[in-house]
Amino acid sequence: MRGPAVTLRSELIGLAGVVERNAYLVKRYAWWEVAFFLWTVANTLTIVFIAKGVEAAGGELDVNRQTTVLLIGGVIWAYLGIIFEILTETVAWERWEGTIEYTFMAPLSRPVHLIGMGLFAVVYGVARAGLLFGVIAFFFDLEMPNADFISALVVLGVASISFIGIGMMTAVLPLISPEKGSQLGFIAQGMLLVVSGVYYSVEVLPAPMQWLSTISPATYALEGIRDAILHGAGVTDLWDELWPLVIIGAVSIPLGFAVFRRGERYAKQHGKLKRSG
Amino acid sequence: MSRTASIITSITATPDEEARPAVDVVGLRKEFLRREPKSRWPHRKKPVPALKNLTFQIDQGECVAILGQNGSGKSTLVRLLSTLLLHDGGSARVFGHDVFGEPAAVRRLVNRVSVEASFFKKMSSAENLSYAARFYGLTAGQTRSRIPEILEKVGFPPDRRNESMESLSRGMQQKVALARALLTSPVLLLLDEPTTGLDPRSKLEVQTFIREVRGAHDVTILLCTHDLDEAEVLADRVGILDRGELLVLEPADDLKRRYGASTLEEAFFAATGRTFEQEEADAKEGLS
Ligand SMILES: Nc1ncnc2c1ncn2[C@@H]1O[C@H](COP(=O)(O)OP(=O)(O)O)[C@@H](O)[C@H]1O
Ligand SMILES: [Mg+2]
């Protein structure tokens, strides 16, 4: 029998291994990462220009404010995309390369494995989101005199717990449907953001969607970040957004583990991890 | 010999594990669902047995070879023992640990080399080995010296360890796969056609190394193979797996005597009613 301390130690080393592996992948596909980032910039610009477009068409609005709202929405959209992609795509990728069998037969426990991927996704995603935000804010010469970026980051960090939990649920899909499973990450991303008021206030949504918005972590993330950046709300002012995020996070992580566990069992029962060889 | 011993030492069986057979399989069954060929949508699926009531033991330090044609269930057996598949009946124990009940305990003791090397192709061998070792609790400090050592040991030029996997030949990749398995000091090594598809020279190198590992310390080996000579040369006992059934498991000489055969190939034919040529054709059919 090994002591819990020894087990904990090797689990932590394993967690570092997951992060290490994903870092190697980013390094080895660095040019692809650059291209992908440029695509994200272009994509975000198409949205953020809308405010100027409306003004040019004769609409009346606070262009600076509206542009900032659109930018926040665009960055969150991209951030969520990265989180889901890293969690889901890595499983699909491992299945494709065949390494998944070696990962799944290693003594590293599944929750630690998934948390490792989530951790990497958050660190990488935050760096990328920060860069995206900076590049576009600079491009539009946006003024954000009141912005409290620290509390915006805190909100994003707390919301990420829920995002990781949901990402774990989408990550199970490539185990079950190897061909199409990873697409479901995009579906989850779109559904989550449309009900959460990504570029608009949730009040404009029809009632059933408004109800859904109350259980979506992205709603609180978007509201909190807008408050922090537009009105300089500090962490203590954002309690109304933070506590729902903590609760949703506390539910979604165990749920993510449970869903992944079921998917893994299914895959092992029916030989879905790999067939040939 | 001593080099290998010094590299592969850290995990040893606990006293409790010491007393048990390395592998103890009783009545093990596994089925897969296969779509009925003629059924329209919704597809009906029926269970097709891949392993039927397998029973055998492997002693500690023993090397057992399982011979079987394609589709006979070799890989299924290896996957069950490495906790990658769940069974449909019977039991399997590795050093006393229930493979399906205590997978975590089994995972620490087992590693595997399969016919496909399976690596992240753009990453280098050093990177692939490094993160994989981390999953077994090995720190960067430990792997820094062990990876080059073990690569050298399997006959991989250590100065090529920063090249991407895709630039390496199949033979080289298979050596890295062997290194990955040995890096974690398994007490049970599962080899699933480790030399299939290799050129004769790489094949010989891999076989030589397997023999060296055996001689150097008390690792237990289950070797699934297509290759009769490989089985005869490397294994203490040879089993014949035919369509999911283990027909015999005994030393190669006894096996030949049992079937009054002068070669293992004749014995295989006598046992299964199939020759190896026939088998290649069957294999191709099976794939289509
Ligand atoms: N993941 C799987 N899904 C469905 N059938 C499988 C799977 N793996 C193996 N089988 C079937 O089980 C049988 C045994 O296969 P396998 O263990 O791969 O044989 P071998 O390794 O001896 O070639 C074959 O009939 C094969 O088609
Ligand atoms: Mg096989």
Side-chain angles (χ1 to χ4, degrees):
Chain A
M1 202 68 255
R2 298 201 311 174
V6 179
T7 309
L8 179 67
R9 186 180 127 88
S10 43
E11 292 285 339
L12 287 176
I13 296 168
L15 185 130
V18 178
V19 175
E20 179 181 344
R21 176 193 66 192
N22 284 58
Y24 289 144
L25 286 173
V26 168
K27 184 182 90 181
R28 293 284 171 177
Y29 290 84
W31 285 109
W32 169 243
E33 296 289 331
V34 171
F36 185 46
F37 182 73
L38 290 177
W39 174 79
T40 312
V41 169
N43 219 359
T44 310
L45 280 175
T46 61
I47 304 283
V48 177
F49 264 119
I50 288 173
K52 287 200 169 182
V54 170
E55 186 191 39
E60 256 180 58
L61 76 173
D62 179 345
V63 174
N64 191 70
R65 185 185 182 281
Q66 204 53 46
T67 302
T68 309
V69 168
L70 290 173
L71 174 56
I72 291 169
V75 168
I76 296 298
W77 185 284
Y79 177 73
L80 213 55
I82 284 290
I83 300 278
F84 289 171
E85 167 164 331
I86 288 180
L87 280 158
T88 311
E89 199 63 35
T90 314
V91 172
W93 196 347
E94 278 221 77
R95 211 182 161 282
W96 163 254
E97 299 273 29
T99 55
I100 195 155
E101 288 201 320
Y102 292 89
T103 303
F104 277 22
M105 67 182 274
L108 180 64
S109 73
R110 195 66 52 235
V112 174
H113 171 211
L114 292 170
I115 288 173
M117 298 211 298
L119 208 63
F120 178 85
V122 167
V123 170
Y124 182 70
V126 164
R128 210 165 167 284
L131 192 63
L132 179 66
F133 191 93
V135 166
I136 297 189
F138 177 78
F139 184 90
F140 282 93
D141 201 12
L142 278 182
E143 283 170 28
M144 291 172 271
N146 304 317
D148 184 337
F149 289 109
I150 298 294
S151 59
L153 264 181
V154 170
V155 173
L156 190 62
V158 176
S160 298
I161 300 171
S162 312
F163 296 159
I164 291 172
I166 298 167
M168 288 174 190
M169 297 178 218
T170 62
V172 82
L173 293 155
L175 291 183
I176 294 164
S177 168
E179 298 83 10
K180 289 286 171 207
S182 52
Q183 314 286 338
L184 261 116
F186 299 115
I187 298 177
Q189 176 194 15
M191 304 250 272
L192 203 58
L193 289 171
V194 72
V195 299
S196 305
V198 58
Y199 302 118
Y200 39 83
S201 157
V202 289
E203 271 115 62
V204 307
L205 294 170
M209 285 172 94
Q210 278 200 36
W211 183 85
L212 282 176
S213 77
T214 60
I215 56 166
S216 162
T219 307
Y220 306 99
L222 286 157
E223 264 173 30
I225 291 169
R226 278 178 208 147
D227 269 357
I229 290 180
L230 292 171
H231 311 120
V235 173
T236 46
D237 307 319
L238 292 171
W239 184 238
D240 283 351
E241 280 76 31
L242 287 173
W243 74 257
L245 284 177
V246 169
I247 290 177
I248 298 169
V251 173
S252 67
I253 292 279
L255 200 63
F257 289 156
V259 169
F260 198 91
R261 203 183 138 86
R262 277 202 71 144
E264 187 175 337
R265 278 193 73 85
Y266 174 87
K268 287 180 174 173
Q269 190 66 53
H270 297 285
K272 298 278 185 185
L273 291 182
K274 192 158 195 271
R275 159 134 203 197
S276 60
Chain B
M1 165 161 166
S2 59
R3 268 305 286 284
T4 317
S6 73
I7 293 171
I8 309 156
T9 46
S10 71
I11 292 187
T12 44
T14 62
D16 187 36
E17 289 162 352
E18 204 82 59
R20 326 256 186 173
V23 178
D24 187 6
V25 168
V26 180
L28 188 62
R29 288 193 298 110
K30 178 67 195 169
E31 295 166 347
F32 291 106
L33 294 179
R34 192 175 297 165
R35 212 158 75 195
E36 301 236 21
K38 275 183 238 114
S39 79
R40 296 241 185 94
W41 195 87
H43 302 297
R44 239 179 317 154
K45 292 190 174 174
K46 72 163 202 263
V48 178
L51 288 180
K52 306 171 191 164
N53 263 310
L54 228 59
T55 300
F56 66 92
Q57 288 197 343
I58 304 179
D59 288 333
Q60 295 191 23
E62 208 185 4
C63 176
V64 161
I66 301 283
L67 283 172
Q69 58 200 61
N70 266 313
S72 59
K74 302 184 297 295
S75 301
T76 302
L77 174 61
V78 165
R79 289 197 172 101
L80 283 164
L81 292 177
S82 38
T83 75
L84 293 168
L85 285 175
L86 297 173
H87 68 324
D88 293 309
S91 70
R93 292 185 169 272
V94 168
F95 288 88
H97 299 289
D98 181 350
V99 174
F100 310 105
E102 320 161 64
V106 171
R107 287 177 187 147
R108 279 188 291 116
L109 305 173
V110 175
N111 214 325
R112 154 177 180 251
V113 177
S114 61
V115 62
E116 284 151 81
S118 302
F119 290 103
F120 281 100
K121 286 179 208 55
K122 294 267 187 232
M123 278 164 46
S124 70
S125 53
E127 288 168 343
N128 271 294
L129 292 180
S130 172
Y131 87 75
R134 231 57 90 221
F135 292 176
Y136 287 77
L138 296 174
T139 61
Q142 289 169 306
T143 51
R144 201 166 297 125
S145 57
R146 266 175 81 146
I147 288 174
E149 268 172 23
I150 213 148
L151 281 174
E152 192 178 351
K153 197 64 218 168
V154 296
F156 181 95
D159 54 322
R160 295 189 65 185
R161 69 179 185 274
N162 295 319
E163 287 178 29
S164 73
M165 290 303 295
E166 62 186 355
S167 67
L168 303 174
S169 68
R170 271 255 314 130
M172 283 293 173
Q173 290 189 19
Q174 202 60 349
K175 286 177 189 169
V176 182
L178 213 51
R180 170 173 59 193
L182 293 170
L183 194 55
T184 68
S185 318
V187 283
L188 174 63
L189 192 55
L190 303 168
L191 303 173
D192 190 0
E193 303 192 32
T195 62
T196 299
L198 294 189
D199 60 277
R201 204 189 119 160
S202 306
K203 193 172 200 160
L204 211 64
E205 282 174 341
V206 170
Q207 288 171 353
T208 307
F209 184 69
I210 293 170
R211 203 165 337 159
E212 252 175 64
V213 170
R214 277 210 63 196
H217 74 135
D218 53 359
V219 64
T220 305
I221 298 178
L222 174 65
L223 168 69
C224 292
T225 182
H226 238 106
D227 190 316
L228 297 160
D229 297 332
E230 184 171 292
E232 188 155 12
V233 175
L234 293 175
D236 302 313
R237 285 188 294 154
V238 177
I240 295 179
L241 190 64
D242 185 43
R243 285 165 270 198
E245 277 178 280
L246 189 61
L247 302 179
V248 277
L249 178 57
E250 57 193 5
D253 290 335
D254 296 1
L255 211 156
K256 284 186 267 185
R257 211 168 303 130
R258 175 192 291 267
Y259 292 102
S262 57
T263 64
L264 210 51
E265 185 166 2
E266 279 176 35
F268 185 89
F269 177 65
T272 65
R274 292 170 175 238
T275 64
F276 264 54
E277 284 78 32
Q278 206 178 332
E279 180 189 320
E280 296 300 324
D282 285 353
K284 285 197 188 86
E285 249 170 67
L287 286 174
S288 65

